Amino acid sequence: MTKTTKTTTPPARVTHIFANSPIDGQLYSAIDRFLNDGCPDRVVLSLVTAEGNARDAFRIGEMMQARTSELMIHVPGVCRSVGTLLACAGHRVLFALDAEFGPLSVRTTRQNESGVWRDARWSQLAIEGLCNQAIELQASMAQTIVSRYRGAVDYREAAQLAGNVLNGIMSPLVSQLNVGEICDDYIELRAAEEYALQLARGSGGNIDAEGVKRLMYGFPASDFYLDAFDDQHRWFRRMDLAWDALEHSLRNFHKYPRAPLSAEDRIIFKEIIDAPDDDELSNPDFDPGENILNWDYRIGAPAGE
């Protein structure tokens, strides 16, 4: 398996925004405030999230594209669902080695019978699974009929007989499907896909329409994660290993939680990171944390403080 793990050189100075938060109006307001502070217009957004609203993800991405000269999305831990949608806004995407990057999807506004929020892809995956199983079962039944009757029944007749049997098996299952929910899920997925395509058009060619479709439909399950550095699964044209100063900031200084937090426990903060010069990089004792210039504003407190 071929992997690409190239580390990029950071820009001279960047605004670093960290958000472990659902993607919602509060996150939009916090980022809007950060960008109004006269900070460097090259921005890194470190994003840890697994839920939120597709419209808010689009609003945040569109705002950041309009107000930055370069937008880098950094995935330091778990990022999926509408977090993946927001990643489509990045001119470049940076991954930690242990990043868990998942499919682009949306949670529906409804809960199932157990009180668990439903993923809008569940209906689609269920229908696809039923269709695939039905096709395979019909083909298997038809082949069995042809083999058992040793040529007395041709394959076309066998397929018709198998289809009749299969109809009796599948009809009760299909009758239990909630057509209203399936339609709602389809509408929400199509809206999320269109939001992602609009952000992709502002990404400077970092992701195209085919890449968006792979992020939405190229995963076998809504909670599935792929290795971001496997070249077989490159969704973005510019995706690299996160640079040392950024990783040092999060892992050693802030001790951030890499698993998604709830809206009540969310952590959002901003800092300025200065890129090391050549002399610093050549010094074996250089500490990347020295290039963290200031910590301006936060919501919540990083774990361990």
Side-chain angles (χ1 to χ4, degrees), residues 100-113:
E100 297 183 14
F101 192 62
L104 194 167
S105 186
V106 288
R107 293 198 321 175
T108 68
T109 55
R110 302 173 307 281
Q111 293 176 309
N112 63 17
E113 294 80 2

Side-chain angles (χ1 to χ4, degrees), residues 235-290:
W235 312 281
F236 304 97
R237 291 191 173 93
R238 295 181 293 276
M239 49 187 287
D240 302 290
L241 185 63
W243 20 278
D244 289 343
L246 188 60
E247 289 294 303
H248 185 286
S249 167
L250 294 179
R251 295 182 184 277
N252 300 320
F253 182 60
H254 299 303
K255 297 181 174 61
Y256 75 95
R258 63 189 303 276
L261 297 174
S262 67
E264 293 75 21
D265 299 323
R266 73 176 82 212
I267 298 171
I268 311 169
F269 64 81
K270 186 195 81 172
E271 65 192 359
I272 309 300
I273 296 181
D274 217 11
D277 58 30
D278 292 338
D279 291 338
E280 290 174 318
L281 289 173
S282 62
N283 182 355
D285 297 323
F286 170 65
D287 180 0
E290 295 175 358

Side-chain angles (χ1 to χ4, degrees), residues 115-300:
V116 178
W117 290 101
R118 299 173 57 256
D119 189 295
R121 287 195 67 210
W122 289 357
S123 295
Q124 181 188 44
L125 291 171
I127 292 173
E128 288 177 358
L130 282 174
C131 290
N132 290 335
Q133 289 296 319
I135 292 171
E136 291 178 9
L137 183 58
Q138 183 177 13
S140 176
M141 291 172 61
Q143 189 62 49
T144 299
I145 292 171
V146 171
S147 298
R148 178 167 297 181
Y149 290 94
R150 302 182 181 223
V153 178
D154 63 24
Y155 189 83
R156 182 175 180 179
E157 292 175 317
Q160 290 177 339
L161 290 171
N164 292 336
V165 174
L166 189 62
N167 183 58
I169 296 173
M170 298 298 292
S171 292
L173 296 176
V174 174
S175 66
Q176 296 182 46
L177 295 176
N178 188 318
V179 177
E181 285 189 356
I182 293 172
C183 291
D184 288 344
D185 290 349
Y186 176 78
I187 291 170
E188 291 190 40
L189 279 174
R190 284 291 298 117
E193 182 176 3
E194 185 55 38
Y195 283 141
L197 289 171
Q198 290 187 57
L199 292 179
R201 288 192 283 271
S203 70
N206 192 32
I207 186 170
D208 56 16
E210 185 60 33
V212 170
K213 289 186 180 297
R214 287 201 304 272
L215 285 176
M216 291 198 72
Y217 306 113
F219 293 76
S222 59
D223 58 352
F224 192 83
Y225 297 106
L226 286 178
D227 183 351
F229 295 105
D230 181 353
D231 282 344
Q232 297 180 21
H233 304 116
R234 288 185 67 87
W235 312 281
F236 304 97
R237 291 191 173 93
R238 295 181 293 276
M239 49 187 287
D240 302 290
L241 185 63
W243 20 278
D244 289 343
L246 188 60
E247 289 294 303
H248 185 286
S249 167
L250 294 179
R251 295 182 184 277
N252 300 320
F253 182 60
H254 299 303
K255 297 181 174 61
Y256 75 95
R258 63 189 303 276
L261 297 174
S262 67
E264 293 75 21
D265 299 323
R266 73 176 82 212
I267 298 171
I268 311 169
F269 64 81
K270 186 195 81 172
E271 65 192 359
I272 309 300
I273 296 181
D274 217 11
D277 58 30
D278 292 338
D279 291 338
E280 290 174 318
L281 289 173
S282 62
N283 182 355
D285 297 323
F286 170 65
D287 180 0
E290 295 175 358
N291 290 69
I292 301 169
L293 300 184
N294 63 298
W295 184 2
D296 293 329
Y297 174 66
R298 69 181 181 186
I299 299 173

Side-chain angles (χ1 to χ4, degrees), residues 13 159 300:
R13 181 172 290 186

